[in-house]
């Protein structure tokens, strides 16, 4: 790893975000997916997965826990699941905004521009839509029936509609090299997302990429540092896929990253949100996990603001 690049990224992280770590509660409300991405355990052809859907009241109850735990943002994520209509999700967003005052981030994959607009009008603040890879051929192969061009178009709709945007890649997919991954970071920076997520590939045993090796922590950290240098004021999360490597790696990663997304998905279903092997397997309840994370971060000298932690460009001190 280039130590000087990592050090520069640490300095930039401190310049823009100090020692703050933003905790965003993620609620993974459905593992049904109409897509068949070759890298993901939720793909529709994975018939071995027990599928679940949370009702709207259950999702709201998770957001309420986020509020009680003083997290400023709730992230609603799912497979691409048209069972949830645009209007019903808009009603849920209104309820969370009006009654809880949380920032709402959506990560629901590709939906129509009209739906994105409806959710934005309902008060949704942010949308996370990763490009996954910048190689158009690889994209078309790994996401059957989908194109990179269409993904980019969806991202542009979101930016146009005034969402704070998040994007990113899975690093370590077939065909990736150090050079192609750096190129991908450069292309991502051109999109000027407010959040930039670099997730190491972790294989899922029931996916076609089960034999493809996961990416090591060091390469992932190096790419995160590169991303910080390219976009010093962006939010950069420590993804749960990197978090699998343990607390030492997580804390080290937070020297360049500034966001953690603890899962508040209910215990009965959380293990079934199996995007990759090992996801969501901690046994403790959300309150205990949140308390443990807070303790760990405070001990390491980080501060934990409870505000929504908006994008740098929208902050008053910017
Ligand atoms: N269905 C939505 C959101 C849920 S998937 C979507 O695809 O946008 C959330 C993220 O999980 C994806 O964006 C992808 O980056 C990540 N992911 C999927 N499979 C993965 C794997 N095997 N390793 C690491 N990250 C993975
Ligand atoms: Fe579905 Fe998202 Fe997984 Fe693709 S990455 S199979 S769209 S959940």
């Amino acid at each position: 790893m280039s130590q000087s690049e990592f050090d520069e990224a640490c300095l930039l992280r401190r310049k823009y975000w100090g020692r703050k770590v933003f905790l965003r509660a993620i609620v993974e409300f459905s593992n049904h997916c109409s897509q068949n991405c070759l890298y993901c355990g939720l793909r529709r052809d994975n018939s071995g997965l027990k599928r679940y859907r949370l009702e709207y009241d259950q999702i709201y109850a998770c957001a309420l826990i986020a509020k009680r735990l003083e997290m400023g943002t709730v992230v609603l994520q799912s497979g691409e699941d048209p069972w949830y209509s645009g209007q019903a999700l808009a009603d849920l967003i209104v309820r969370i905004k009006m009654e809880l005052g949380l920032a709402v981030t959506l990560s629901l994959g590709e939906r129509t521009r009209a739906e994105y607009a409806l959710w934005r009008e309902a008060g949704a603040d942010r949308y996370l839509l990763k490009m996954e890879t910048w190689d158009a051929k690889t994209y078309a192969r790994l996401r059957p029936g989908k194109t990179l061009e269409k993904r980019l178009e969806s991202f542009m709709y979101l930016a146009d509609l005034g969402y704070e945007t998040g994007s990113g890649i899975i690093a370590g997919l077939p065909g990736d090299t150090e050079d192609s991954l750096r190129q991908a970071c450069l292309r991502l920076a051109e999109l000027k997302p407010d959040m930039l997520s670099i997730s190491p590939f972790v294989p899922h045993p029931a996916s076609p990429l089960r034999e493809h090796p996961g990416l090591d922590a060091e390469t992932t950290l190096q790419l995160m540092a590169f991303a910080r240098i390219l976009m010093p004021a962006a939010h950069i999360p420590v993804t749960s896929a990197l978090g699998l490597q343990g607390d030492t790696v997580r804390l080290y990663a937070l020297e360049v990253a500034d966001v953690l997304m603890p899962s508040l998905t209910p215990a009965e279903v959380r293990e079934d949100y199996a995007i990759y092997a090992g996801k969501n397997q901690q046994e403790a309840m959300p309150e205990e996990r949140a308390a443990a994370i807070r303790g760990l971060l405070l001990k390491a000298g980080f501060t934990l603001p409870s505000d929504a932690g908006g994008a740098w460009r929208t902050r008053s001190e910017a």
Side-chain angles (χ1 to χ4, degrees):
M1 147 141 58
S2 153
Q3 193 59 43
S4 62
E5 195 171 73
F6 197 81
D7 291 347
E8 186 185 345
C10 295
L11 285 175
L12 289 168
R13 186 259 196 252
R14 284 188 189 227
K15 177 171 171 199
Y16 286 92
W17 299 114
R19 297 299 284 159
K20 290 178 183 169
V21 173
F22 298 97
L23 295 177
R24 326 266 206 217
I26 183 162
V27 183
E28 297 139 328
F29 63 87
S30 163
N31 69 353
H32 287 258
C33 191
S34 55
Q35 301 308 320
N36 222 6
C37 306
L38 268 61
Y39 42 77
C40 179
L42 305 192
R43 63 200 306 273
R44 67 168 185 264
D45 283 357
N46 182 9
S47 54
L49 182 66
K50 204 168 102 213
R51 304 279 173 171
Y52 70 88
R53 283 190 179 106
L54 299 187
E55 294 291 339
Y56 295 98
D57 281 349
Q58 290 177 293
I59 304 173
Y60 179 83
C62 295
L64 187 60
I65 297 176
K67 176 80 181 171
R68 290 206 187 111
L69 293 175
E70 293 181 20
M71 298 195 198
T73 298
V74 64
V75 183
L76 305 181
Q77 192 182 80
S78 66
E80 285 195 11
D81 186 1
W83 184 88
Y84 295 87
S85 74
Q87 187 56 54
L89 283 168
D91 294 345
L92 174 69
I93 293 163
V94 168
R95 202 173 153 207
I96 294 175
K97 295 296 297 180
M98 301 279 281
E99 293 173 23
L100 303 178
L102 295 173
V104 173
T105 302
L106 303 175
S107 175
L108 317 177
E110 288 168 42
R111 301 276 294 233
T112 62
R113 186 185 166 110
E115 286 172 313
Y116 291 155
L118 186 66
W119 300 333
R120 180 78 187 119
E121 278 156 31
D125 301 88
R126 310 184 187 126
Y127 204 105
L128 174 59
L129 189 75
K130 290 172 69 178
M131 295 302 138
E132 320 297 9
T133 170
W134 276 94
D135 184 279
K137 274 197 192 136
T138 307
Y139 188 100
R141 184 168 78 80
L142 298 184
R143 309 198 76 221
K146 298 280 192 176
T147 64
L148 180 59
E149 202 183 354
K150 176 72 190 61
R151 192 78 162 179
L152 273 166
E153 184 182 76
S154 296
F155 180 89
M156 294 308 173
Y157 290 159
L158 295 163
D160 265 9
L161 289 164
Y163 282 93
E164 287 182 23
T165 54
S167 194
I169 52 168
I170 305 175
L173 290 172
D176 278 343
T177 61
E178 203 182 318
D179 189 49
S180 73
L181 289 167
R182 283 188 167 242
Q183 286 297 328
C185 290
L186 286 162
R187 299 288 304 277
L188 276 174
E190 285 168 14
L191 291 181
K192 298 196 180 1
D194 298 297
M195 190 183 98
L196 210 156
S197 160
I198 300 194
S199 180
F201 170 71
V202 180
H204 186 286
S207 74
L209 295 191
R210 68 181 76 85
E211 306 283 350
H212 188 72
L215 191 73
D216 61 280
E218 190 174 320
T219 312
T220 310
L221 287 165
Q222 189 68 60
L223 283 167
M224 288 167 68
F226 185 55
R228 172 63 74 198
I229 292 169
L230 292 175
M231 293 201 60
H235 283 303
I236 300 183
V238 177
T239 61
S240 56
L242 181 61
L244 283 182
Q245 305 269 346
D247 286 344
T248 310
V249 170
R250 261 181 165 185
L251 290 175
Y252 195 57
L254 280 170
E255 296 297 331
V256 295
D258 62 293
V259 171
L260 268 186
M261 298 198 211
S263 167
L264 292 190
T265 304
E268 314 82 78
V269 294
R270 59 198 313 277
E271 275 193 40
D272 298 321
Y273 198 75
I275 287 181
Y276 46 78
K279 170 124 175 86
N280 281 358
Q281 290 190 348
Q282 311 96 315
E283 274 167 14
M285 295 303 284
E287 288 82 353
E288 293 164 37
R289 282 199 312 274
I293 288 171
R294 276 178 194 280
L296 186 75
L297 295 174
L298 292 172
K299 198 166 155 233
F302 292 107
T303 57
L304 301 172
S306 58
D307 66 277
W312 180 261
R313 67 184 165 85
T314 65
R315 290 169 81 86
S316 54
E317 71 262 41

